[in-house]
C-alpha cells in the first residue's frame, strides 16, 4: 500500500459556491472567539531533539470542550436567523461535535438537541448535558442516530448542524490556521488530521491563500482513509467499513465540499497505523503531560512518519492536537501498543526444545537485551512454542539481528510485530492446561526491574527444577513480576521452598489460587 499519496487537482468539478478568497474572508470574520480560546502552539522539546526538527503542537485540547469542534459549530450557529435560533438546532454525534454544539447553544441561548446512539458511553452523555445540550438516545449505531436526528429536524423545524461538510463549519475550523500563522509565520510543514475533512479543508484553504509555500499534509488512519480513497477515485466514495480505534476520524465518506477543498489545497496525504498513533499519544504525554485521544494524536503520528520517510532535517513542523476526550480505559491499549509503533519493541514466536536449561540458554542468546514479555506453557515432551517481547534500542535493524542470532542458535523464529491478531488476541491466550498430568506448583515472584533483570532471575533460579509455565510482562514499573510453574515431586517441595528463601526475591505460593485452578491447572 502506498502510504504517502501526492494530491493533484486534476479532476474537473462544478465551481464551488465559495471561492478560496470567499473562505479566507469568512475565516477572518468568524466570531468563534466569543466562546473558543486561542490555543497555544507548544514546542515538543524532546521530540524535536530526537528528530532534528522543530516540532510544535497546536493544543486544541485546551478548548472548553477539549476539541476543535467548538469552532465550526459556533460559527455556523451564530449565522442562523433569529427564527432558526428560536426553533433550535439538532445534530447526531457520539463525540466532540456533540459537546461543541451543546456549548455553542448555551452561549447563544439556542436549544441544542443531540441524538446519540444507545451505546454511547455515559461519560460522553453527561458531558453533553453539562454543557446544556438535550440528549436523545436512539439506535445502535451512528447511522440510526443520524436518521432519527433528521426525522426530529423535520418534525420540529430544527436546523441540522453537520459535523464537517458545510462552508460555515469549514470556515470556523479554519481559524486554527489563522492562529498558526500568528504564532509561527515561518512554518515549513503543517500536518492536519482528516476524518470528514472540515479541519483540513478550512486550515489548508487559509494557509495556501496567505503563505502558499507552506506544505500542508493531511493525515488519515489506515483503516479510515476516506480521503485517500476519494483521491484515487476522483470523487468521494463510501468505505465498506472503518476502524474504530481513532473514533474521532472514523468516517466512511468524506464530505463533498471538504473533498473539493482538500483536493485543491493539500500537498499530500499520509496514512498511519494504530500502533503509530499510540506512539504519538505517548510522545505528546512525555513532552506536555497531556493525554490525547487517538484521533487527537493522528496528525503528530503523520508528522513523524512523513519526516522519517522524507528524511526532513532542520525544518519547522506543526501538528494539531485536535482533541482529548479519551475513554480512560483506552489507555490500556495505548500503553500496550505504543512501543510497537515506535519500533522499540518486537514480538516473536520462538520454538525451543523441551528440556531443562533450554529456557536459560535461549535467554543467554538474547544477552543483556530487555525482555518485555514472555509467555510459555508446557505442551509436550519435545518442543515448546513461546511468545516473547523484546525491547529495541535501534528499531527494525536490531530486531532483524536478534532473529538471525536465534536462528543461528537453532531456534526457529516468526516475527509477529506486525501481526494484528497476535497483538490483539493471541498474546493474551498463550497457555492453557498441560497435555499430560504434571506434579506442578505455581509461584509468583517480584524482583527489581533493570536491564538484564530477567536473565539474572533465571540464572539465580538455576536449572535443577523444570519450568512448566512462565508469564512475564514489563509494564515499565520498578518491579518485575513473574508467574512461574515448576514440576515438583512431593519430596522436592521442602528443599525448593528453602532454596527460594535463600534467593532474596519476594515470592508467594499461588498453587491454590482459584484462577490458576480454573484455567491452567491439570
Amino acid at each position: 500500500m502506498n502510504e504517502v499519496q501526492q494530491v493533484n487537482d486534476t479532476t474537473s468539478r462544478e465551481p464551488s459556491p465559495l471561492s478560496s478568497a470567499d473562505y479566507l474572508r469568512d475565516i477572518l470574520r468568524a466570531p468563534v472567539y466569543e466562546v473558543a480560546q486561542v490555543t497555544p502552539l507548544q514546542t515538543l522539546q524532546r521530540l524535536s531533539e530526537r528528530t532534528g526538527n522543530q516540532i510544535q503542537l497546536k493544543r486544541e485540547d485546551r478548548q472548553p470542550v477539549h476539541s476543535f469542534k467548538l469552532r465550526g459549530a459556533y460559527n455556523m450557529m451564530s449565522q442562523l436567523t433569529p427564527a432558526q435560533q428560536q426553533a433550535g438546532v439538532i445534530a447526531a454525534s457520539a463525540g466532540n461535535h456533540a459537546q461543541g454544539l451543546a456549548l455553542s447553544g448555551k452561549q447563544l441561548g439556542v436549544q441544542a438537541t443531540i441524538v446519540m446512539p444507545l451505546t454511547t458511553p455515559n461519560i460522553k452523555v453527561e458531558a453533553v448535558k453539562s454543557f446544556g445540550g438535550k440528549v436523545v438516545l436512539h439506535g445502535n449505531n451512528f447511522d440510526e442516530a443520524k436518521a432519527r436526528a433528521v426525522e426530529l429536524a423535520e418534525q420540529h423545524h430544527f436546523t441540522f448542524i453537520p459535523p464537517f461538510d458545510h462552508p460555515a463549519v469549514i470556515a470556523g475550523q479554519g481559524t486554527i490556521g489563522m492562529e498558526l500563522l500568528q504564532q509561527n509565520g515561518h512554518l515549513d510543514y503543517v500536518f492536519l488530521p482528516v476524518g470528514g475533512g472540515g479541519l483540513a479543508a478550512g486550515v489548508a484553504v487559509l494557509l495556501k491563500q496567505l503563505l502558499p509555500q507552506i506544505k500542508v499534509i493531511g493525515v488519515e488512519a489506515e483503516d479510515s482513509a476516506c480521503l485517500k480513497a476519494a483521491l484515487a477515485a476522483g470523487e468521494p466514495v463510501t468505505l465498506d467499513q472503518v476502524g474504530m480505534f481513532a473514533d474521532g476520524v472514523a468516517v466512511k465518506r468524506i464530505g463533498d465540499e471538504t473533498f473539493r477543498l482538500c483536493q485543491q489545497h493539500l500537498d499530500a496525504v499520509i496514512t498511519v497505523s494504530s500502533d503509530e498513533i499510540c506512539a504519538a499519544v505517548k510522545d505528546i504525554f512525555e513532552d506536555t503531560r497531556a493525554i490525547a485521544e487517538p484521533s487527537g494524536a493522528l496528525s503528530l503520528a503523520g508528522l513523524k512518519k512523513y519526516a522519517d520517510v522524507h528524511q526532513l532535517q532542520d525544518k519547522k513542523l506543526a501538528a494539531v492536537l485536535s482533541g482529548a476526550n479519551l475513554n480512560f480505559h483506552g489507555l490500556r491499549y495505548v500503553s500496550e501498543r505504543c512501543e510497537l509503533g515506535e519500533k522499540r519493541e518486537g514480538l516473536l514466536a520462538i520454538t525451543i526444545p523441551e528440556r531443562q536449561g533450554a529456557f536459560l540458554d535461549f535467554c543467554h542468546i538474547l544477552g543483556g537485551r530487555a525482555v518485555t514479555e514472555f509467555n510459555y506453557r508446557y505442551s509436550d515432551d519435545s518442543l515448546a512454542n513461546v511468545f516473547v517481547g523484546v525491547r529495541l534500542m535501534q528499531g527494525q535493524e536490531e530486531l532483524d539481528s536478534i532473529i538471525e542470532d536465534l536462528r543461528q542458535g537453532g531456534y526457529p523464529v516468526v516475527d509477529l510485530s506486525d501481526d494484528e491478531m497476535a497483538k490483539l488476541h493471541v498474546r493474551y491466550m498463550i497457555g492453557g492446561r498441560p497435555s499430560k498430568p504434571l506434579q506442578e506448583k505455581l509461584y509468583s515472584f517480584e524482583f527489581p526491574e533493570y536491564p538484564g533483570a530477567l536473565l539474572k532471575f533465571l540464572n539465580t533460579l538455576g536449572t535443577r527444577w523444570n519450568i512448566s509455565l512462565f508469564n512475564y510482562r514489563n509494564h515499565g514499573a520498578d518491579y518485575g513480576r513473574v508467574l512461574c510453574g515448576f514440576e515438583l515431586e512431593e519430596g522436592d517441595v521442602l528443599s525448593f521452598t528453602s532454596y527460594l528463601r535463600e534467593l532474596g526475591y519476594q515470592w508467594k505460593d499461588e498453587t491454590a489460587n482459584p484462577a490458576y485452578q480454573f484455567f491452567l491447572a491439570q
Side-chain angles (χ1 to χ4, degrees):
M1 177 172 56
N2 182 17
E3 294 165 319
V4 180
Q5 181 170 344
Q6 299 300 317
V7 180
N8 297 303
D9 184 21
T10 58
T11 304
S12 176
R13 298 182 60 88
E14 293 295 323
S16 168
L18 292 182
S19 67
S20 296
D22 291 332
Y23 270 109
L24 178 59
R25 175 202 64 208
D26 290 349
I27 292 169
L28 294 175
R29 297 195 309 184
V32 300
Y33 301 106
E34 294 172 4
V35 65
Q37 305 292 320
V38 175
T39 54
L41 182 64
Q42 182 173 356
T43 299
L44 302 184
Q45 200 62 45
R46 295 178 60 165
L47 190 58
S48 296
E49 293 172 359
R50 201 170 86 211
T51 63
N53 295 287
Q54 183 193 66
I55 297 176
Q56 295 182 298
L57 195 64
K58 184 66 171 157
R59 294 289 304 278
E60 283 299 290
D61 61 308
R62 300 283 291 272
Q63 293 293 356
V65 296
H66 307 296
S67 92
F68 74 97
K69 287 287 190 177
L70 177 63
R71 297 173 183 262
Y74 188 85
N75 191 47
M76 182 173 176
M77 288 176 63
S78 68
Q79 298 176 34
L80 299 180
T81 67
Q84 288 174 319
Q85 291 189 348
Q86 179 66 31
V89 299
I90 194 168
S93 172
N96 295 333
H97 181 55
Q99 296 179 52
L101 192 72
L103 183 56
S104 296
K106 183 177 182 179
Q107 177 72 16
L108 292 166
V110 176
Q111 178 60 60
T113 301
I114 298 93
V115 184
M116 310 180 85
L118 292 166
T119 54
T120 304
N122 189 60
I123 188 173
K124 294 186 177 182
V125 174
E126 293 304 317
V128 171
K129 290 180 179 179
S130 72
F131 290 124
K134 177 183 177 182
V135 175
V136 175
L137 295 175
H138 180 86
N140 294 317
N141 53 53
F142 174 77
D143 291 336
E144 293 179 7
K146 183 179 179 181
R148 180 57 177 159
V150 171
E151 290 176 0
L152 291 174
E154 293 175 353
Q155 291 173 14
H156 301 283
H157 306 291
F158 295 148
T159 298
F160 190 88
I161 306 295
F164 48 81
D165 199 26
H166 189 282
V169 175
I170 294 169
Q173 320 301 27
T175 56
I176 294 173
M178 182 173 61
E179 293 175 23
L180 280 169
L181 294 186
Q182 292 170 340
Q183 292 164 328
N184 187 349
H186 301 282
L187 291 169
D188 297 305
Y189 290 83
V190 172
F191 293 81
L192 304 168
V194 180
L199 186 155
V203 174
V205 71
L206 178 132
L207 293 180
K208 288 301 183 180
Q209 288 285 291
L210 298 180
L211 288 177
Q213 70 271 24
I214 296 177
K215 298 293 185 183
V216 186
I217 314 297
V219 185
E220 292 189 286
E222 285 179 354
D223 53 9
S224 304
C226 61
L227 174 56
K228 182 179 179 181
L231 291 169
E235 61 183 4
V237 294
T238 302
L239 303 178
D240 293 333
Q241 59 184 20
V242 294
M244 293 307 297
F245 171 60
D247 59 348
V249 292
V251 177
K252 287 186 177 181
R253 187 183 191 277
I254 196 166
D256 292 329
E257 179 65 355
T258 55
F259 171 69
R260 184 186 74 83
L261 294 171
C262 287
Q263 185 187 46
Q264 182 178 349
H265 296 293
L266 290 182
D267 292 287
V269 174
I270 186 169
T271 61
V272 294
S273 68
S274 294
D275 288 354
E276 288 165 331
I277 293 172
C278 291
V281 172
K282 181 185 177 186
D283 287 321
I284 291 170
F285 176 77
E286 289 184 339
D287 254 312
T288 70
R289 294 301 184 264
I291 300 176
E293 63 185 273
S295 58
L298 177 64
S299 61
L300 183 64
L303 181 157
K304 291 169 56 187
K305 187 170 187 175
Y306 189 95
D308 182 57
V309 169
H310 294 274
Q311 295 296 294
L312 300 185
Q313 287 289 300
D314 300 318
K315 300 296 183 182
K316 295 178 173 62
L317 317 175
V320 179
L321 198 178
S322 57
N325 288 306
L326 176 73
N327 179 350
F328 180 80
H329 297 291
L331 288 173
R332 181 185 309 162
Y333 179 93
V334 172
S335 177
E336 285 282 355
R337 303 293 286 264
C338 61
E339 298 298 287
L340 291 164
E342 280 284 7
K343 301 298 182 183
R344 293 180 182 176
E345 184 181 28
L347 298 180
L348 304 173
I350 303 167
T351 302
I352 64 175
E354 189 59 85
R355 59 172 172 78
Q356 287 182 312
F359 182 20
L360 183 58
D361 292 343
F362 157 76
C363 287
H364 276 297
I365 292 178
L366 290 180
R369 296 184 178 96
V371 175
T372 59
E373 183 170 1
F374 194 101
N375 289 296
Y376 156 70
R377 180 47 153 151
Y378 171 87
S379 180
D380 62 44
D381 290 334
S382 57
L383 297 173
N385 292 322
V386 296
F387 187 98
V388 182
V390 183
R391 179 88 62 209
L392 304 173
M393 303 301 293
Q394 298 167 341
Q396 188 64 42
E397 181 180 347
E398 182 180 2
L399 183 60
D400 291 340
S401 175
I402 292 171
I403 291 172
E404 181 61 27
D405 288 346
L406 288 169
R407 286 175 176 163
Q408 289 187 4
Y411 296 92
V413 183
V414 176
D415 184 359
L416 299 178
S417 304
D418 293 322
D419 188 315
E420 193 66 15
M421 190 179 78
K423 291 184 288 187
L424 273 178
H425 300 291
V426 173
R427 73 192 303 178
Y428 305 110
M429 301 170 68
I430 304 298
R433 301 181 188 278
S435 60
K436 70 173 187 179
L438 295 177
Q439 290 291 103
E440 185 178 62
K441 299 283 285 185
L442 189 71
Y443 296 87
S444 60
F445 296 88
E446 288 188 1
F447 52 85
E449 187 63 87
Y450 53 84
L454 180 61
L455 183 59
K456 182 182 177 182
F457 170 80
L458 291 170
N459 276 322
T460 307
L461 202 60
T463 60
R464 177 179 171 186
W465 295 280
N466 187 49
I467 295 174
S468 53
L469 178 152
F470 199 91
N471 178 266
Y472 164 77
R473 178 62 177 160
N474 180 342
H475 288 283
D478 293 336
Y479 280 82
R481 291 173 172 82
V482 165
L483 188 67
C484 199
F486 298 89
E487 284 193 88
L488 297 172
E489 300 292 336
E490 278 301 319
D492 291 333
V493 173
L494 185 59
S495 59
F496 179 77
T497 52
S498 296
Y499 180 67
L500 291 183
R501 292 188 184 97
E502 295 173 5
L503 293 180
Y505 293 120
Q506 283 194 325
W507 60 273
K508 180 181 178 182
D509 187 339
E510 303 279 9
T511 309
N513 183 287
Y516 166 70
Q517 293 293 335
F518 194 83
F519 291 109
L520 299 173
Q522 176 65 36

